[in-house]
Amino acid sequence: ARELARWSDARELPVADAAALGKSHGHVIGDVHDEPKKTSTRKGKRASGRGTPPRKGTPPRKLGRLESARGGLPTESCADPNRPGGPTGTEPLCRSFRGDPRACQVYTAPGQTCWHKTVGNEYVDPHSAVESTGPVSMRSDPGATVEWTGRFYDCMSGDPEYTRVAEAPYRLPLPSLGAEGGFDRGGAPEKSFAAKRGSAYVYHFLHVPKAGGTYFKSLLHRSETLRNEALGGPDPRWDTAVTNDWTTYPLVDMTEQSYANVMWRYVHRHPPDMFGGGGMRASYDAGYRAVSKGALSMGACDHIDAPCAYLTVLRDPVERYMSHYSYLCLEGSEHMTGWREEWKQKRSGRYAERGCPADPVKFFDQVGGFVQLFAPGANPNTRCAVEAAKRNLGSGCMRYLLLERLDDGLARMRSTLPDFHDIGADPASEFSEKRRNGSDDRLTPAARKRLEKYLGDERMMRTLRELLANEIDVYDWAVENYERQWDGDLLTC
């Protein structure tokens, strides 16, 4: 309670003007096949998926290296900056990064997640599990879900309305094994039961758009289907009244469609046989697993009373962006998400063959990135968010695959994660051309010609690399540490 009060006080301190910091961040970062296509919220259009565009006339700036606040930051920037915090309790509570306009907070209280700050606060009272069915899903109330989704993405991207005094990226616990083989939770909350070595009960697949995630999701779907068949059918503890609302079943639906409701169920353990510690332990012991799919799940393990871990697939940022550009602009998918209204009106004529008129650089602010998926709560254009994303990818309860080495990653999953001993091994799962989840085979000749022209334009590609500098930084770190993450057992958060 003291910790929450301390940060509640800190949130009231003066902050830089929100307009100066920029309130427009990447929103088209959800699951491109399963989630809402276009919306509007009280804060304006969400469909465009705007990232924070560079100021006109100012070239993108590469942020400098980390500078710790040795003597502590001014009190108007940090509350008790010299006090340790973070999930482990040992990190400096507040840091300063060169070039970032706000301080970087390393501790986010359990009740300060974006779920709590948006829809969750209305359902914090445990009685809500008795008196209601929780936050609505897309199927039951599309308008309310759309409105919440816009606010949630603003929070994920560090909008000062939600973070106020400092960037507040979520940080995963850092579990580890001691010299004697003992398990150190590394700041993770204590769970009602422990998993076997290299295993978990809940696995959250964090879906990065256009990074092979749709294919990887199909592998997880196949794996869970085979698991259920081997066990004689679906988990009898799972309530069909809940799962019938999921678009991802047999995977847990953590997409925009159902995330708010599913999180509420995990927070309040409702219904207990499905979301409570005792029920989940019975399911785990029986051989069942709960594997989710969605782009919003970072940090969800903190609120689940069962051993929990994360999975994701990463892709070279320039290739990923160009694939997304082809998909949205040249192909016009997702109901022409990111298109201006005047472009949409001409889709049947002028733009039918060539796609939207914007080139990749001009379309950049319509496509979100992935930094905020791994460091929700901070502006993805800051060094604070970049360093938090790297830290989270390196946690012992995270395993990431690289699209460029996907076969290798799947083989490592089969050999090191007993819960996925057969993933990707089924001949029916083999693929080749669709590995990169691209749009080339769906482009018209005119659109394909445009794409080839842009890919061959060295100046344009150089500009894109500058715009994607933060994502490239995170990706390069992931490539460098790819082998190392497989050296030890998967741990749980």
Side-chain angles (χ1 to χ4, degrees):
R2 287 194 298 271
E3 198 75 348
L4 285 171
R6 186 187 303 276
W7 279 107
S8 176
D9 293 338
R11 281 168 54 88
E12 301 305 319
L13 294 173
V15 296
D17 180 68
L21 291 175
K23 292 170 68 73
S24 181
H25 303 294
H27 285 166
V28 184
I29 59 177
D31 305 287
V32 294
H33 292 285
D34 299 318
E35 300 185 356
K37 308 300 190 293
K38 58 188 180 66
T39 67
S40 63
T41 71
R42 62 181 176 81
K43 304 188 75 173
K45 293 183 178 178
R46 172 189 171 274
S48 62
R50 295 176 175 81
T52 304
R55 295 178 182 176
K56 293 183 178 180
T58 303
R61 174 179 52 78
K62 293 189 74 173
L63 298 175
R65 296 178 64 84
L66 166 65
E67 284 189 329
S68 294
R70 295 181 180 276
L73 295 173
T75 55
E76 62 268 21
S77 297
C78 286
D80 288 352
N82 296 314
R83 186 165 56 86
T88 65
T90 61
E91 301 175 75
L93 190 58
C94 199
R95 291 178 175 176
S96 172
F97 290 84
R98 181 186 301 158
D100 287 2
R102 297 191 293 169
C104 184
Q105 173 183 320
V106 306
Y107 175 70
T108 302
Q112 291 292 301
T113 69
C114 286
W115 181 82
H116 286 84
K117 291 177 180 178
T118 54
V119 68
N121 273 338
E122 302 172 25
Y123 297 93
V124 169
D125 190 331
H127 290 293
S128 67
V130 177
E131 300 168 354
S132 75
T133 56
V136 295
S137 66
M138 178 65 72
R139 286 184 173 178
S140 59
D141 192 335
T145 304
V146 159
E147 195 275 339
W148 161 76
T149 300
R151 290 187 285 121
F152 190 88
Y153 278 130
D154 286 339
C155 179
M156 285 183 73
S157 296
D159 191 318
E161 178 178 342
Y162 299 98
T163 57
R164 299 293 176 86
V165 71
E167 306 293 350
Y170 171 78
R171 282 173 166 77
L172 276 175
L174 298 176
S176 62
L177 294 177
E180 303 297 325
F183 178 61
D184 183 345
R185 298 199 309 275
E190 187 172 1
K191 305 301 174 77
S192 62
F193 67 99
K196 299 174 184 177
R197 181 175 178 177
S199 174
Y201 172 65
V202 177
Y203 292 90
H204 290 301
F205 166 46
L206 287 162
H207 184 185
V208 178
K210 311 310 290 182
T214 300
Y215 172 71
F216 187 68
K217 174 236 179 180
S218 73
L219 295 182
L220 295 174
H221 191 286
R222 175 70 173 164
S223 177
E224 288 309 291
T225 298
L226 293 175
R227 191 194 314 276
N228 288 348
E229 290 176 354
L231 294 172
D235 189 337
R237 283 162 287 274
W238 281 27
D239 189 340
T240 56
V242 176
T243 59
N244 286 343
D245 199 41
W246 295 350
T247 62
T248 59
Y249 185 81
L251 305 183
V252 179
D253 193 349
M254 295 290 270
T255 68
E256 294 174 352
Q257 309 245 9
S258 299
Y259 175 83
N261 184 270
V262 174
M263 273 296 295
W264 169 78
R265 294 184 181 281
Y266 277 123
V267 167
H268 293 303
R269 302 3 180 185
H270 179 71
D273 283 350
M274 187 174 179
F275 296 98
M280 289 189 285
R281 178 170 189 166
S283 293
Y284 178 81
D285 290 343
Y288 292 100
R289 299 294 181 266
V291 181
S292 81
K293 182 259 187 182
L296 315 179
S297 302
M298 176 57 72
C301 287
D302 288 359
H303 303 278
I304 297 175
D305 190 19
C308 189
Y310 299 89
L311 303 168
T312 196
V313 182
L314 303 177
R315 182 182 186 182
D316 175 271
V318 176
E319 290 187 9
R320 190 194 73 83
Y321 172 77
M322 290 304 296
S323 177
H324 215 167
Y325 168 77
S326 298
Y327 181 72
L328 295 179
C329 178
L330 300 184
E331 189 182 339
S333 297
E334 301 290 310
H335 298 276
M336 293 175 281
T337 291
W339 285 46
R340 297 176 183 173
E341 286 303 317
E342 58 266 30
W343 300 350
K344 295 179 181 179
Q345 293 172 7
K346 299 177 181 179
R347 173 67 191 274
S348 60
R350 182 176 180 183
Y351 301 138
E353 293 295 317
R354 292 175 50 82
C356 87
D359 65 34
V361 172
K362 292 180 180 178
F363 198 76
F364 184 81
D365 66 344
Q366 309 300 318
V367 178
F370 66 68
V371 173
Q372 59 267 52
L373 301 185
F374 299 106
N379 184 330
N381 297 315
T382 62
R383 178 58 49 181
C384 174
V386 167
E387 297 302 325
K390 294 177 186 177
R391 180 191 182 283
N392 290 345
L393 285 169
S395 172
C397 58
M398 165 73 77
R399 285 293 182 271
Y400 60 86
L401 286 71
L402 303 175
L403 183 61
E404 292 74 13
R405 300 180 59 182
L406 191 56
D407 290 332
D408 176 79
L410 293 173
R412 291 174 185 263
M413 285 184 67
R414 290 193 295 268
S415 63
T416 64
L417 305 181
D419 292 331
F420 299 100
H421 64 90
D422 59 352
I423 190 166
D426 187 344
S429 300
E430 292 181 359
F431 71 109
S432 54
E433 295 300 324
K434 294 183 180 180
R435 169 174 299 181
R436 295 180 181 274
N437 199 17
S439 300
D440 287 2
D441 58 340
R442 298 186 295 271
L443 294 178
T444 65
R448 185 176 294 107
K449 185 176 181 179
R450 282 184 65 191
L451 177 62
E452 292 171 353
K453 175 185 175 182
Y454 296 143
L455 291 174
D457 188 330
E458 294 184 6
R459 182 177 180 181
M460 182 169 292
M461 291 299 103
R462 183 170 60 251
T463 301
L464 282 179
R465 285 192 290 272
E466 291 173 348
L467 292 171
L468 291 164
N470 281 354
E471 285 194 34
I472 292 173
D473 189 351
V474 174
Y475 181 77
D476 287 346
W477 181 94
V479 171
E480 181 180 350
N481 291 275
Y482 173 74
E483 301 282 349
R484 188 181 309 168
Q485 68 162 338
W486 298 104
D487 289 343
D489 291 335
L490 174 73
L491 303 177
T492 58
C493 289

